Amino acid sequence: MASPIHRPLQPMTDFAATKTLFHLPEGVIYLDGNSLGPLPLRTPDRVARMLKEEWGEMLIGGWNRAGWMAQPMGLGDRVGGLIGAEPGHVTLGDTLSIKVFQALAAALAKTDRKVILSDSGNFPSDLYIAEGLVGTLNQGHSLRVVDPEDVADAITGEVGVLLLTQVDYRTGRMHDMADLTAMAHAAGAICIWDLAHSAGAIPVDVAGCQADFAVGCTYKYLNGGPGAPAFIYVAPRHAPTARPALSGWLGHDAPFAFEPTYRPGEGIARMRVGTPPVLQMAALDASMDIWDTVDMEALRSASIRLTERFIEGIEASCADLTLASPREAARRGSQVSFRHPQGYAAMQACIAQGVVGDFRAPDIMRFGFTPLFIDENDVEAAIDVIARVMADRLWEDPQYQARGAVT
Ligand SMILES: *Cc1c(COP(=O)(O)O)cnc(C)c1O
Protein backbone atom coordinates (compact mmCIF):
# COMPACT_ATOMS: atom_id res chain seq x y z
CA MET A 1 0.00 0.00 0.00
CA ALA A 2 1.25 3.51 -0.75
CA SER A 3 2.18 5.54 2.32
CA PRO A 4 1.10 9.16 2.49
CA ILE A 5 3.46 11.91 1.36
CA HIS A 6 4.26 14.15 4.29
CA ARG A 7 4.72 17.38 2.36
CA PRO A 8 2.95 20.29 4.06
CA LEU A 9 0.48 22.62 2.38
CA GLN A 10 2.62 25.68 3.15
CA PRO A 11 6.18 24.79 2.22
CA MET A 12 9.17 26.57 3.70
CA THR A 13 10.58 29.45 1.66
CA ASP A 14 12.48 31.16 4.50
CA PHE A 15 16.02 29.84 4.37
CA ALA A 16 17.27 32.02 7.24
CA ALA A 17 15.10 29.75 9.38
CA THR A 18 16.46 26.51 7.90
CA LYS A 19 20.06 27.65 8.49
CA THR A 20 19.44 27.44 12.25
CA LEU A 21 18.57 23.74 11.88
CA PHE A 22 22.12 22.65 10.97
CA HIS A 23 25.34 22.25 12.91
CA LEU A 24 27.95 24.28 11.03
CA PRO A 25 31.42 24.35 12.66
CA GLU A 26 32.72 27.78 13.76
CA GLY A 27 34.75 29.63 11.17
CA VAL A 28 33.75 27.39 8.27
CA ILE A 29 31.85 28.34 5.13
CA TYR A 30 30.73 24.97 3.88
CA LEU A 31 30.45 24.88 0.10
CA ASP A 32 30.61 21.08 -0.06
CA GLY A 33 27.07 20.10 0.87
CA ASN A 34 26.85 18.67 -2.66
CA SER A 35 29.36 16.00 -1.61
CA LEU A 36 28.42 15.41 2.04
CA GLY A 37 25.55 17.42 3.48
CA PRO A 38 26.14 18.83 6.98
CA LEU A 39 24.63 17.46 10.19
CA PRO A 40 21.08 18.57 11.05
CA LEU A 41 20.94 19.56 14.74
CA ARG A 42 18.17 17.11 15.42
CA THR A 43 19.99 14.08 13.99
CA PRO A 44 22.11 13.11 17.04
CA ASP A 45 18.99 12.93 19.25
CA ARG A 46 17.08 10.95 16.67
CA VAL A 47 19.93 8.46 16.27
CA ALA A 48 20.43 8.26 20.06
CA ARG A 49 16.71 7.57 20.45
CA MET A 50 16.95 4.79 17.89
CA LEU A 51 19.88 3.28 19.78
CA LYS A 52 18.51 3.58 23.30
CA GLU A 53 14.74 3.37 22.99
CA GLU A 54 14.45 1.21 19.90
CA TRP A 55 17.45 -1.14 19.65
CA GLY A 56 18.24 -0.99 23.39
CA GLU A 57 14.75 -1.55 24.76
CA MET A 58 12.84 -3.26 21.97
CA LEU A 59 15.64 -5.52 20.75
CA ILE A 60 14.34 -7.63 17.86
CA GLY A 61 10.85 -6.20 18.46
CA GLY A 62 12.06 -2.96 16.84
CA TRP A 63 11.51 -4.41 13.38
CA ASN A 64 7.76 -4.25 13.96
CA ARG A 65 7.25 -1.89 16.89
CA ALA A 66 9.63 0.86 15.76
CA GLY A 67 8.74 0.35 12.10
CA TRP A 68 12.28 -0.47 10.96
CA MET A 69 11.07 -2.87 8.28
CA ALA A 70 8.74 -0.26 6.77
CA GLN A 71 11.35 2.53 6.63
CA PRO A 72 12.73 1.86 3.13
CA MET A 73 9.26 2.48 1.66
CA GLY A 74 8.09 5.19 4.08
CA LEU A 75 11.26 7.24 3.77
CA GLY A 76 11.34 6.37 0.07
CA ASP A 77 8.04 8.20 -0.36
CA ARG A 78 9.39 11.25 1.42
CA VAL A 79 12.44 11.34 -0.89
CA GLY A 80 10.05 10.61 -3.76
CA GLY A 81 8.18 13.81 -2.88
CA LEU A 82 11.30 15.80 -3.76
CA ILE A 83 11.71 14.22 -7.20
CA GLY A 84 8.10 14.19 -8.32
CA ALA A 85 7.60 10.44 -7.91
CA GLU A 86 4.18 8.87 -7.55
CA PRO A 87 3.64 7.59 -3.96
CA GLY A 88 4.67 3.98 -3.49
CA HIS A 89 7.29 3.97 -6.25
CA VAL A 90 10.56 4.77 -4.46
CA THR A 91 12.49 2.59 -2.07
CA LEU A 92 15.73 3.08 -0.15
CA GLY A 93 18.71 0.91 0.63
CA ASP A 94 22.24 -0.06 -0.37
CA THR A 95 24.53 2.42 -2.10
CA LEU A 96 23.94 4.34 -5.30
CA SER A 97 26.32 2.11 -7.26
CA ILE A 98 24.10 -0.86 -6.36
CA LYS A 99 20.95 1.03 -7.36
CA VAL A 100 22.52 1.91 -10.74
CA PHE A 101 23.20 -1.81 -11.23
CA GLN A 102 19.61 -2.74 -10.36
CA ALA A 103 18.07 -0.10 -12.61
CA LEU A 104 20.34 -0.93 -15.54
CA ALA A 105 19.80 -4.69 -15.23
CA ALA A 106 16.02 -4.19 -15.07
CA ALA A 107 16.08 -1.80 -18.04
CA LEU A 108 18.18 -4.16 -20.18
CA ALA A 109 15.74 -6.97 -19.39
CA LYS A 110 13.00 -4.88 -21.03
CA THR A 111 14.67 -4.47 -24.42
CA ASP A 112 16.25 -6.62 -27.11
CA ARG A 113 18.64 -3.83 -28.03
CA LYS A 114 22.24 -4.18 -26.90
CA VAL A 115 23.59 -0.64 -26.67
CA ILE A 116 23.76 1.36 -23.43
CA LEU A 117 24.35 5.05 -24.14
CA SER A 118 25.97 7.32 -21.55
CA ASP A 119 28.25 10.37 -21.54
CA SER A 120 31.77 11.16 -20.45
CA GLY A 121 30.44 13.57 -17.80
CA ASN A 122 28.79 10.69 -15.98
CA PHE A 123 30.18 9.69 -12.61
CA PRO A 124 32.76 6.91 -13.08
CA SER A 125 30.95 4.47 -10.78
CA ASP A 126 27.89 4.55 -13.08
CA LEU A 127 30.11 3.78 -16.08
CA TYR A 128 32.07 1.10 -14.21
CA ILE A 129 28.85 -0.59 -13.09
CA ALA A 130 27.62 -0.60 -16.70
CA GLU A 131 30.94 -2.08 -17.86
CA GLY A 132 30.74 -4.77 -15.19
CA LEU A 133 27.17 -5.67 -16.05
CA VAL A 134 27.94 -5.85 -19.79
CA GLY A 135 30.75 -8.30 -19.00
CA THR A 136 28.63 -10.37 -16.61
CA LEU A 137 25.71 -10.66 -19.06
CA ASN A 138 28.10 -11.69 -21.84
CA GLN A 139 25.32 -11.30 -24.43
CA GLY A 140 26.88 -8.80 -26.79
CA HIS A 141 25.86 -5.64 -24.94
CA SER A 142 28.07 -2.59 -25.23
CA LEU A 143 28.49 0.70 -23.43
CA ARG A 144 28.76 3.72 -25.74
CA VAL A 145 30.12 6.86 -24.06
CA VAL A 146 29.81 10.18 -25.91
CA ASP A 147 30.52 13.82 -25.08
CA PRO A 148 27.70 15.32 -22.96
CA GLU A 149 26.92 17.78 -25.76
CA ASP A 150 26.49 14.93 -28.26
CA VAL A 151 23.99 12.80 -26.31
CA ALA A 152 20.90 13.90 -28.25
CA ASP A 153 22.53 13.07 -31.61
CA ALA A 154 23.70 9.69 -30.33
CA ILE A 155 20.18 8.45 -29.48
CA THR A 156 19.84 6.13 -32.45
CA GLY A 157 17.65 3.10 -33.08
CA GLU A 158 20.37 0.84 -31.66
CA VAL A 159 20.22 2.35 -28.20
CA GLY A 160 18.33 0.22 -25.70
CA VAL A 161 19.05 2.18 -22.54
CA LEU A 162 20.04 5.81 -21.99
CA LEU A 163 21.94 6.01 -18.68
CA LEU A 164 22.62 9.60 -17.64
CA THR A 165 23.38 11.64 -14.58
CA GLN A 166 21.31 14.79 -14.84
CA VAL A 167 23.82 17.15 -13.21
CA ASP A 168 27.50 16.63 -14.05
CA TYR A 169 29.44 16.08 -10.81
CA ARG A 170 32.45 18.01 -12.14
CA THR A 171 31.02 21.00 -13.95
CA GLY A 172 27.43 21.20 -12.73
CA ARG A 173 26.22 21.12 -16.38
CA MET A 174 22.60 19.99 -16.38
CA HIS A 175 20.91 17.81 -18.98
CA ASP A 176 17.34 18.61 -19.99
CA MET A 177 15.65 15.59 -18.48
CA ALA A 178 12.25 16.07 -20.12
CA ASP A 179 13.69 16.63 -23.62
CA LEU A 180 16.19 13.76 -23.57
CA THR A 181 13.65 11.36 -22.08
CA ALA A 182 11.16 12.24 -24.81
CA MET A 183 13.86 11.78 -27.49
CA ALA A 184 14.88 8.43 -26.04
CA HIS A 185 11.28 7.24 -25.95
CA ALA A 186 10.69 8.40 -29.52
CA ALA A 187 13.70 6.28 -30.53
CA GLY A 188 12.41 3.28 -28.57
CA ALA A 189 14.94 3.49 -25.72
CA ILE A 190 14.49 3.29 -21.94
CA CYS A 191 15.82 6.10 -19.71
CA ILE A 192 17.62 5.82 -16.39
CA TRP A 193 18.32 9.10 -14.61
CA ASP A 194 20.89 9.37 -11.87
CA LEU A 195 19.75 12.20 -9.60
CA ALA A 196 22.74 12.20 -7.22
CA HIS A 197 23.30 15.93 -7.80
CA SER A 198 19.64 16.76 -8.41
CA ALA A 199 17.66 15.47 -5.40
CA GLY A 200 17.51 18.37 -2.96
CA ALA A 201 19.35 20.64 -5.41
CA ILE A 202 16.78 21.43 -8.12
CA PRO A 203 13.10 20.71 -8.72
CA VAL A 204 12.75 17.32 -10.40
CA ASP A 205 9.62 15.75 -11.86
CA VAL A 206 10.32 12.12 -12.72
CA ALA A 207 6.63 11.36 -13.28
CA GLY A 208 6.07 14.47 -15.44
CA CYS A 209 9.18 13.65 -17.53
CA GLN A 210 8.05 10.02 -17.81
CA ALA A 211 11.45 8.79 -16.64
CA ASP A 212 11.55 5.00 -16.64
CA PHE A 213 13.97 4.57 -13.76
CA ALA A 214 15.72 7.03 -11.44
CA VAL A 215 18.32 6.56 -8.75
CA GLY A 216 20.23 8.81 -6.39
CA CYS A 217 21.85 9.16 -3.00
CA THR A 218 20.80 10.79 0.25
CA TYR A 219 24.16 11.78 1.78
CA LYS A 220 24.80 14.70 -0.61
CA TYR A 221 22.14 17.43 -0.69
CA LEU A 222 19.73 15.45 1.53
CA ASN A 223 21.95 15.41 4.65
CA GLY A 224 21.45 11.72 5.49
CA GLY A 225 25.08 11.40 6.66
CA PRO A 226 28.06 9.39 5.38
CA GLY A 227 26.88 5.98 4.16
CA ALA A 228 23.20 7.00 4.00
CA PRO A 229 21.03 4.70 1.84
CA ALA A 230 20.47 5.31 -1.86
CA PHE A 231 17.07 5.50 -3.57
CA ILE A 232 15.54 3.90 -6.65
CA TYR A 233 12.39 4.90 -8.53
CA VAL A 234 10.69 2.61 -11.01
CA ALA A 235 7.88 4.14 -13.08
CA PRO A 236 4.45 2.64 -12.26
CA ARG A 237 4.19 1.27 -15.82
CA HIS A 238 7.36 -0.79 -15.33
CA ALA A 239 7.18 -1.65 -11.63
CA PRO A 240 4.92 -4.71 -11.89
CA THR A 241 7.17 -6.39 -14.48
CA ALA A 242 10.65 -5.03 -13.65
CA ARG A 243 13.11 -7.89 -13.33
CA PRO A 244 15.12 -7.68 -10.10
CA ALA A 245 18.70 -8.77 -10.81
CA LEU A 246 19.58 -8.68 -7.11
CA SER A 247 16.84 -11.02 -5.97
CA GLY A 248 17.42 -10.75 -2.23
CA TRP A 249 15.01 -11.99 0.39
CA LEU A 250 13.59 -8.58 1.30
CA GLY A 251 12.54 -8.05 -2.32
CA HIS A 252 10.64 -11.35 -2.18
CA ASP A 253 6.85 -11.21 -2.15
CA ALA A 254 6.76 -12.95 1.25
CA PRO A 255 10.17 -12.70 2.94
CA PHE A 256 8.98 -14.38 6.11
CA ALA A 257 7.44 -17.32 4.29
CA PHE A 258 11.06 -18.39 3.67
CA GLU A 259 10.15 -20.10 0.41
CA PRO A 260 12.99 -21.90 -1.36
CA THR A 261 12.46 -20.03 -4.64
CA TYR A 262 12.24 -16.34 -5.42
CA ARG A 263 9.00 -14.56 -6.25
CA PRO A 264 9.35 -10.79 -6.75
CA GLY A 265 7.50 -8.50 -4.37
CA GLU A 266 4.80 -6.16 -5.57
CA GLY A 267 6.07 -3.18 -7.57
CA ILE A 268 9.03 -1.23 -6.19
CA ALA A 269 9.25 -3.54 -3.14
CA ARG A 270 11.16 -5.98 -5.37
CA MET A 271 14.04 -3.48 -5.56
CA ARG A 272 14.74 -4.06 -1.89
CA VAL A 273 17.64 -6.46 -1.43
CA GLY A 274 18.61 -7.22 2.17
CA THR A 275 18.32 -5.87 5.70
CA PRO A 276 17.86 -2.08 5.74
CA PRO A 277 20.53 0.11 7.41
CA VAL A 278 18.35 1.15 10.34
CA LEU A 279 20.82 3.53 12.01
CA GLN A 280 21.31 5.39 8.74
CA MET A 281 17.55 5.43 8.19
CA ALA A 282 17.11 7.11 11.60
CA ALA A 283 19.59 9.81 10.57
CA LEU A 284 17.81 10.27 7.24
CA ASP A 285 14.45 10.43 9.02
CA ALA A 286 15.75 13.44 10.95
CA SER A 287 17.01 15.29 7.87
CA MET A 288 13.83 14.50 5.93
CA ASP A 289 11.88 16.27 8.70
CA ILE A 290 13.54 19.41 7.31
CA TRP A 291 13.28 18.44 3.63
CA ASP A 292 9.57 17.60 3.97
CA THR A 293 8.96 21.33 4.52
CA VAL A 294 11.09 22.79 1.71
CA ASP A 295 9.62 24.54 -1.33
CA MET A 296 11.91 23.32 -4.15
CA GLU A 297 11.02 26.20 -6.50
CA ALA A 298 11.98 28.75 -3.81
CA LEU A 299 15.14 26.78 -3.12
CA ARG A 300 16.05 26.82 -6.81
CA SER A 301 15.57 30.60 -7.01
CA ALA A 302 17.77 31.09 -3.95
CA SER A 303 20.41 28.75 -5.37
CA ILE A 304 20.50 30.67 -8.66
CA ARG A 305 20.91 33.99 -6.82
CA LEU A 306 23.84 32.57 -4.84
CA THR A 307 25.62 30.94 -7.79
CA GLU A 308 25.18 34.00 -10.04
CA ARG A 309 26.72 36.26 -7.38
CA PHE A 310 29.54 33.77 -6.74
CA ILE A 311 30.48 33.58 -10.43
CA GLU A 312 30.34 37.36 -10.76
CA GLY A 313 32.46 37.90 -7.62
CA ILE A 314 35.10 35.30 -8.48
CA GLU A 315 35.44 36.43 -12.10
CA ALA A 316 35.87 40.03 -10.96
CA SER A 317 38.62 39.16 -8.46
CA CYS A 318 40.42 35.98 -9.61
CA ALA A 319 41.91 36.23 -13.10
CA ASP A 320 43.57 32.80 -12.70
CA LEU A 321 40.29 30.93 -12.30
CA THR A 322 38.37 29.86 -15.42
CA LEU A 323 34.66 29.07 -15.16
CA ALA A 324 34.06 25.37 -15.88
CA SER A 325 30.29 25.49 -15.28
CA PRO A 326 27.72 26.69 -17.80
CA ARG A 327 27.33 30.46 -17.56
CA GLU A 328 23.60 30.20 -18.11
CA ALA A 329 21.90 29.46 -14.77
CA ALA A 330 19.21 27.33 -16.42
CA ARG A 331 21.89 24.91 -17.64
CA ARG A 332 23.55 24.49 -14.20
CA GLY A 333 22.69 22.48 -11.14
CA SER A 334 23.44 23.92 -7.70
CA GLN A 335 27.23 23.96 -7.93
CA VAL A 336 29.86 26.14 -9.54
CA SER A 337 33.24 24.87 -10.71
CA PHE A 338 36.37 26.71 -11.75
CA ARG A 339 39.52 25.38 -13.39
CA HIS A 340 42.99 26.13 -12.07
CA PRO A 341 46.21 24.29 -13.08
CA GLN A 342 47.04 23.92 -9.35
CA GLY A 343 43.41 23.30 -8.41
CA TYR A 344 44.16 20.76 -5.72
CA ALA A 345 46.60 22.97 -3.81
CA ALA A 346 44.42 26.04 -4.37
CA MET A 347 41.44 24.22 -2.84
CA GLN A 348 43.55 23.06 0.12
CA ALA A 349 44.57 26.68 0.70
CA CYS A 350 40.91 27.78 0.58
CA ILE A 351 39.96 25.04 3.07
CA ALA A 352 42.77 26.14 5.40
CA GLN A 353 41.24 29.64 5.24
CA GLY A 354 37.79 28.29 6.17
CA VAL A 355 36.12 27.95 2.76
CA VAL A 356 35.41 24.26 2.21
CA GLY A 357 34.84 23.07 -1.35
CA ASP A 358 36.50 20.10 -3.03
CA PHE A 359 38.67 19.13 -5.97
CA ARG A 360 37.97 16.81 -8.88
CA ALA A 361 40.83 15.71 -11.13
CA PRO A 362 42.40 17.00 -13.22
CA ASP A 363 41.91 20.70 -12.42
CA ILE A 364 38.41 21.37 -11.10
CA MET A 365 37.71 23.38 -7.95
CA ARG A 366 34.12 22.63 -7.03
CA PHE A 367 31.80 24.71 -4.84
CA GLY A 368 28.30 23.57 -3.87
CA PHE A 369 25.51 26.00 -2.99
CA THR A 370 22.84 24.74 -0.68
CA PRO A 371 20.48 27.58 0.30
CA LEU A 372 19.21 25.69 3.36
CA PHE A 373 22.37 26.79 5.16
CA ILE A 374 24.38 29.02 2.79
CA ASP A 375 23.28 32.64 2.43
CA GLU A 376 24.43 35.84 0.66
CA ASN A 377 26.81 36.76 3.50
CA ASP A 378 28.54 33.39 3.22
CA VAL A 379 28.96 33.89 -0.53
CA GLU A 380 30.50 37.35 -0.07
CA ALA A 381 32.86 36.04 2.63
CA ALA A 382 33.83 33.05 0.45
CA ILE A 383 34.60 35.33 -2.52
CA ASP A 384 36.88 37.43 -0.29
CA VAL A 385 38.76 34.39 1.01
CA ILE A 386 39.22 32.82 -2.44
CA ALA A 387 40.35 36.17 -3.88
CA ARG A 388 42.99 36.44 -1.13
CA VAL A 389 44.19 32.85 -1.69
CA MET A 390 44.64 33.60 -5.39
CA ALA A 391 46.14 37.09 -5.02
CA ASP A 392 48.67 35.97 -2.39
CA ARG A 393 49.36 32.70 -4.27
CA LEU A 394 48.84 30.80 -1.01
CA TRP A 395 48.53 27.60 -3.02
CA GLU A 396 52.30 27.67 -3.67
CA ASP A 397 52.90 26.66 -0.04
CA PRO A 398 54.18 23.04 -0.14
CA GLN A 399 51.86 22.03 2.72
CA TYR A 400 48.92 22.29 0.32
CA GLN A 401 50.39 19.95 -2.29
CA ALA A 402 50.14 16.63 -0.37
CA ARG A 403 46.99 14.73 -1.37
CA GLY A 404 44.71 12.78 0.97
CA ALA A 405 42.89 9.63 -0.18
CA VAL A 406 39.65 11.62 -0.58
CA THR A 407 39.97 14.85 -2.55
C1 LIG B 1 28.06 10.36 -5.61
C2 LIG B 1 27.71 9.56 -6.80
C3 LIG B 1 27.79 8.16 -6.77
C4 LIG B 1 28.32 7.46 -5.57
O1 LIG B 1 27.86 6.14 -5.47
P1 LIG B 1 27.94 5.36 -4.09
O2 LIG B 1 27.67 3.96 -4.44
O3 LIG B 1 26.92 5.98 -3.17
O4 LIG B 1 29.31 5.55 -3.52
C5 LIG B 1 27.38 7.47 -7.90
N1 LIG B 1 26.93 8.11 -9.01
C6 LIG B 1 26.86 9.47 -9.05
C7 LIG B 1 26.33 10.14 -10.28
C8 LIG B 1 27.28 10.23 -7.97
O5 LIG B 1 27.23 11.56 -8.02
Side-chain angles (χ1 to χ4, degrees):
M1 208 183 80
S3 4
I5 298 253
H6 300 238
R7 300 186 67 71
L9 293 175
Q10 294 250 297
M12 177 90 87
T13 55
D14 173 7
F15 301 121
T18 56
K19 187 168 184 164
T20 65
L21 302 177
F22 291 90
H23 172 75
L24 298 162
E26 264 316 297
V28 168
I29 299 172
Y30 192 60
L31 302 183
D32 215 1
N34 52 317
S35 205
L36 177 68
L39 175 70
L41 286 175
R42 68 181 74 205
T43 301
D45 276 354
R46 176 67 187 91
V47 172
R49 196 148 47 78
M50 183 275 150
L51 290 172
K52 292 181 193 149
E53 296 172 21
E54 298 178 11
W55 182 16
E57 296 302 320
M58 298 177 194
L59 294 165
I60 192 117
W63 288 109
N64 289 325
R65 283 167 58 203
W68 298 341
M69 199 46 95
Q71 278 171 341
M73 303 296 290
L75 277 163
D77 270 344
R78 294 165 70 186
V79 172
L82 292 174
I83 60 164
E86 301 88 343
H89 288 87
V90 174
T91 194
L92 293 175
D94 317 300
T95 74
L96 176 50
S97 303
I98 302 280
K99 287 335 203 190
V100 169
F101 179 91
Q102 285 183 293
L104 186 56
L108 288 174
K110 287 188 172 281
T111 175
D112 292 331
R113 299 183 186 176
K114 302 289 186 192
V115 174
I116 304 162
L117 177 64
S118 191
D119 72 42
S120 54
N122 204 345
F123 190 76
S125 200
D126 298 39
L127 301 177
Y128 300 161
I129 289 284
E131 252 182 69
L133 183 54
V134 163
T136 301
L137 288 173
N138 198 19
Q139 288 171 9
H141 291 90
S142 65
L143 171 64
R144 194 172 286 172
V145 178
V146 300
D147 186 90
E149 302 304 328
D150 298 336
V151 169
D153 289 340
I155 303 174
T156 62
E158 284 177 308
V159 174
V161 178
L162 180 59
L163 170 67
L164 293 177
T165 296
Q166 187 188 15
V167 177
D168 187 311
Y169 73 105
R170 277 204 200 93
T171 63
R173 178 215 24 80
M174 182 163 66
H175 278 307
D176 188 321
M177 193 168 153
D179 267 12
L180 287 174
T181 304
M183 274 183 223
H185 288 170
I190 296 169
C191 267
I192 302 172
W193 286 99
D194 189 325
L195 303 176
H197 295 275
S198 307
I202 53 174
V204 179
D205 185 3
V206 288
C209 292
Q210 298 197 25
D212 298 284
F213 297 84
V215 293
C217 50
T218 62
Y219 53 81
K220 291 174 179 161
Y221 289 93
L222 297 184
N223 313 96
F231 65 84
I232 182 165
Y233 162 81
V234 181
R237 64 188 177 281
H238 296 309
T241 53
R243 189 176 184 285
L246 298 175
S247 41
W249 73 302
L250 286 186
H252 191 280
D253 190 43
F256 286 86
F258 298 106
E259 293 169 10
T261 53
Y262 182 80
R263 280 190 296 118
E266 206 185 311
I268 189 72
R270 68 188 57 193
M271 291 299 165
R272 293 179 65 162
V273 182
T275 304
V278 178
L279 269 172
Q280 294 278 184
M281 296 269 182
L284 182 62
D285 179 44
S287 71
M288 289 309 296
D289 284 348
I290 302 173
W291 280 104
D292 287 341
T293 69
V294 172
D295 180 325
M296 287 305 296
E297 296 292 340
L299 182 110
R300 175 66 171 159
S301 304
S303 157
I304 289 175
R305 276 200 304 280
L306 297 176
T307 54
E308 292 283 272
R309 172 59 198 137
F310 184 72
I311 292 172
E312 178 192 54
I314 293 294
E315 290 196 319
S317 58
C318 305
D320 294 347
L321 295 182
T322 313
L323 184 66
S325 300
R327 192 166 294 280
E328 194 189 333
R331 297 195 55 235
R332 282 198 308 268
S334 200
Q335 71 178 67
V336 174
S337 301
F338 284 94
R339 293 184 195 280
H340 185 279
Q342 292 291 321
Y344 180 78
M347 182 54 83
Q348 292 308 303
C350 290
I351 293 170
Q353 304 295 312
V355 173
V356 179
D358 60 19
F359 171 76
R360 288 294 175 262
D363 59 357
I364 295 268
M365 297 172 72
R366 189 171 75 149
F367 303 93
F369 293 85
T370 41
L372 292 198
F373 57 88
I374 292 295
D375 60 24
E376 277 83 358
N377 295 334
D378 296 321
V379 170
E380 295 306 327
I383 293 167
D384 288 348
V385 166
I386 297 164
R388 186 152 37 84
V389 165
M390 300 316 298
D392 296 349
R393 301 174 73 85
L394 292 185
W395 46 268
E396 286 179 340
D397 190 324
Q399 67 169 316
Y400 300 135
Q401 309 280 336
R403 293 198 188 190
V406 176
T407 62

